Amino acid sequence: EPKEKEKRLAELQTKNTGFWPRKIFKWLEGNVDDSPRIPEARGSIESFRNEAFFIPLYQLYLTFGGIFRLTFGPKSFLIVSDPTIAKHILKDNSKAYSKGILAEILDFVMGKGLIPADGELWRIRRRTIVPAVHLKYVVEMIGLFGRATDRLCKKLEAAAANGEDVEMESLFSRLTLDIIGKAVFNYEFDSLNIDTGIVKAVYIVLREAEDRSVAPIPVWEIPIWKDISPKLKKVNAALKLVNDTLDDLIAICKRMVDEEELQFHEEYINEQDPSILHFLLASGDDVSSKQLRDDLMTLLIAGHETSAAVLTWTFYLLAKEPSVMAKLQDEVDSVLGDRFPTMEDMKKLKYTTRVINESLRLYPQPPVLIRRSLEDDLLGKYPIKRDEDIFISVWNLHHCPSRWEDADKFNPERWPLDGPNPNETNQNFSYLPFGGGPRKCIGDQFATFENVVAVAMLVRRFNFQMALGAPSVEMTTGATIHTTEGLVMSVTCRTRPASNSINSDSEATPVSR
Ligand code: HEM
């Protein structure tokens, strides 16, 4: 039939030039659309209320396939779970997509920071910030990860001695906050030990960002609501405290940079303050700019919640799979013993790295990536218009039953130890732990080492089990996947075998106990 229409169109074009034939021609032209239509699922917001929203999206994916439209009344989203289409959006034609809704939701906290920024501004800031995460910086950070995890170990030792259960999700959140504060702007939150006003303020701001990511109606945009809502007042006060603190830190750091005599170069690092902020100021970044503060806030949030979630779900998975835990502890005993990990150890802790790779497959953080089309495009065989809101479901890519054998099983062995570290490129975009294309995570190596160090040091010193009577572990979501009621575990000190580490390299600090 489309062929028929085309023929009739061609006839009209050549034979008829009058007013009515031209009108008919126009009408027909609009209707000669033989392009395939994207399968459409209609949803009710209610069905998405009760559980983490990426779970119903998985069920719909099994029915509708790698790309479908999800319509709620007048609003619709494209849900992409196909690796080739994901690659097209994230990499091959990435210029045609922006961060869309994400930038709108996060504007209050990240402004035009690196995650929400688009276009030329994003390009400039990415070029400025990426060099700060150089190899020497990452090596320096491995020491910081060890010291911070050691403080967590002390807390767990006390809990183990008293026979107290511990809620690991909040402890991991504090561990990664302490790490990222020091790593990004040389600030000691010490949130594992004290609950200062600034720590509380950071949590109020983070919670608000999470709430906004899942709110069905943007109440924060309603003018009167803005002024009378007690919650928003609290959020604004917290935001002011965090911003003022950042301004102070920028000023302190600027003074340090002005006084130092170090020459700026590619792998520049100040030993007293190796932070990203110090690198940026030394490289000549504008201190007074709101942009710098937006970027620092972005790095804080990007590096905090994600790593905390990875550690939480890794320990949940390990508690459920004792054989993996035993193998992991064997590796750590032989490679590391009681030393603080070094860069050399990162290459040797192969199974530990596979555990993190596999945890990120089962619990990707964030579970969906958000984009908006800036122009018309073709996704697979489907033409799409500009202004489409798109969710790339990393959860679906990572759980696809035809791509992964025993897709729901926690099986680090699926990644051979002598094979390459799995990433989006060598897995053809069916595995996207850190995204892909030009907007790929800039902290992927930092985060992987942070998680490897924390997991290795913790499993060397303790055995972890789900606590008796602990609430069952269910998922809920904001930007990352959280548990609904915490990860309550019982922790016991391990009687650990003497280290037969062949790598007792002399510069590594022994853990004081
Ligand atoms: C972007 C994951 C840790 C900084 C991303 C993206 C993912 C991701 C999936 C891509 C987002 C998108 O395409 O929409 C993770 C995970 C982490 C982690 C799973 C921990 C395990 C970190 C850390 C930092 C960081 C520690 C900072 C030191 C960023 C930034 C971007 C980003 C700045 C935006 C890059 C851009 O748009 O140019 N991350 N990340 N991330 N991540 Fe991470």
Side-chain angles (χ1 to χ4, degrees), residues 442-499:
I442 65 164
D444 57 342
Q445 206 181 36
F446 177 113
T448 305
F449 291 164
E450 177 186 16
N451 290 319
V452 166
V453 168
V455 167
M457 287 178 69
L458 288 168
V459 304
R460 166 74 182 166
R461 287 158 185 77
F462 304 98
N463 284 318
F464 293 86
Q465 255 151 3
M466 295 305 298
L468 275 177
S472 82
V473 179
E474 308 291 340
M475 293 182 291
T476 177
T477 183
T480 55
I481 310 173
H482 294 271
T483 69
T484 45
E485 294 177 74
L487 177 66
V488 184
M489 302 189 107
S490 71
V491 184
T492 46
C493 287
R494 249 183 105 210
T495 354
R496 39 201 197 262
S499 154

Side-chain angles (χ1 to χ4, degrees), residues 154-386:
K154 299 260 161 44
K155 269 195 108 70
L156 295 183
E157 266 166 28
N162 298 331
E164 283 166 11
D165 293 341
V166 277
E167 202 288 281
M168 294 302 291
E169 186 172 29
S170 60
L171 289 177
F172 284 139
S173 172
R174 284 160 188 276
L175 170 70
T176 59
L177 180 62
D178 285 358
I179 289 176
I180 203 76
K182 199 77 187 138
V184 173
F185 34 72
N186 195 29
Y187 187 71
E188 197 74 74
F189 283 110
D190 199 15
S191 66
L192 273 167
N193 293 316
I194 35 173
D195 236 344
T196 51
I198 181 73
V199 170
K200 285 195 189 121
V202 169
Y203 279 111
I204 290 171
V205 171
L206 287 175
R207 173 77 17 235
E208 179 67 9
E210 299 251 71
D211 287 353
R212 290 189 186 193
S213 336
V214 287
I217 303 162
V219 282
W220 58 89
E221 282 174 7
I222 303 169
I224 306 164
W225 189 261
K226 266 197 258 191
D227 304 324
I228 57 167
S229 155
K231 186 184 169 221
L232 277 188
K233 275 192 187 153
K234 210 167 133 187
V235 170
N236 287 335
L239 200 55
K240 182 164 182 336
L241 179 60
V242 177
N243 281 335
D244 289 349
T245 310
L246 284 179
D247 284 342
D248 289 348
L249 292 170
I250 293 172
I252 294 168
C253 188
K254 171 75 174 143
R255 255 175 269 138
M256 277 177 84
V257 169
D258 286 346
E259 280 161 23
E260 79 191 10
E261 271 154 26
L262 278 171
Q263 273 294 315
F264 185 77
H265 59 99
E266 219 172 61
E267 287 215 313
Y268 165 93
I269 199 155
N270 178 305
E271 310 275 330
Q272 269 93 54
D273 170 11
S275 68
I276 292 180
L277 171 61
H278 201 110
F279 180 97
L280 292 177
L281 291 181
S283 77
D285 219 21
D286 179 5
V287 265
S288 60
S289 74
K290 176 171 180 304
Q291 184 64 49
L292 177 60
R293 209 177 62 195
D294 284 350
D295 284 322
L296 295 178
M297 192 73 134
T298 302
L299 290 167
L300 171 75
I301 296 177
H304 168 228
E305 290 276 309
T306 41
S307 279
V310 174
L311 289 170
T312 302
W313 292 106
T314 302
F315 276 79
Y316 169 67
L317 290 166
L318 287 170
K320 284 203 311 179
E321 212 61 70
S323 62
V324 175
M325 180 59 122
K327 212 168 150 182
L328 176 66
Q329 287 178 322
D330 270 355
E331 179 179 86
V332 177
D333 289 344
S334 71
V335 171
L336 198 61
D338 291 331
R339 287 184 299 104
F340 273 22
T342 63
M343 186 65 168
E344 278 302 296
D345 297 319
M346 297 302 103
K347 287 173 220 141
K348 292 181 187 154
L349 290 168
K350 287 193 171 161
Y351 191 69
T352 315
T353 310
R354 293 293 173 262
V355 165
I356 304 294
N357 299 143
E358 180 69 347
S359 164
L360 268 166
R361 185 184 68 81
L362 286 169
Y363 295 93
Q365 314 291 349
V368 297
L369 302 178
I370 300 176
R371 293 293 187 273
R372 180 175 291 154
S373 58
L374 296 169
E375 50 195 64
D376 295 0
D377 195 10
L378 195 66
L379 294 184
K381 57 184 176 183
Y382 302 111
I384 64 154
K385 296 276 176 216
R386 61 171 291 180

